[in-house]
Amino acid sequence: MRWIAFAIILYLVAVLQTAVAPLLALHGVWPDFIVITAVYFALVAKPADARLACWIVGLTADLLTLSFEGYSNVGIRAISLGLTAVFIVRVRDFFFRESVWSQLFFTFGTKLVVDVVVGLHMLYLVGEMNRFTELFSLAVYQAVYTAALAPYGHWLLRQLRGPLGVGATPRWT
């Protein structure tokens, strides 16, 4: 994988996340372009590159949201996306990686897991664990919205395979 091209793409995705995602918000539910990018790399990059790329994507997401009511959360998304990437890399050979259904499934699952883990962490820190149902419903809505946009994001990233140095996914013959 070409890491300079990856850094440029990640920078552009971070700008989209901070500038465009708020404009696409529906009743307080935002799409997460960062998760779409992480899932794409988890599905198509070499295993070591995929894990590192997802961790870097998660760290970027952490740096975009530095604190919550005075508590730092740097590292929680990086760890969550890194561990999710480990899982996706292990099971991706059992799926058609370029299938829209695979993209929807993995993006929905990744967004849901990351939001629940980050939300539980923040609820624990502020001492409001009784708001878990509210957190979970918001996480489901955001996961659905993000998964609905995932095929478009994967298509766009697929067009950049050459500059990124990511080869075509293997097909069963």
Side-chain angles (χ1 to χ4, degrees), residues 20-31 145:
V20 177
L23 300 175
L24 298 174
L26 299 172
H27 301 287
V29 176
W30 297 17
Y145 193 13

Side-chain angles (χ1 to χ4, degrees), residues 29-30 108 112 134 136-147:
V29 176
W30 297 17
F108 176 82
L112 186 64
E134 178 184 343
F136 188 75
S137 65
L138 181 62
V140 169
Y141 292 139
Q142 287 185 343
V144 167
Y145 193 13
T146 302

Side-chain angles (χ1 to χ4, degrees), residues 3-14:
W3 292 101
I4 293 175
F6 170 77
I8 293 169
I9 296 297
L10 187 56
Y11 175 77
L12 293 174
V13 169

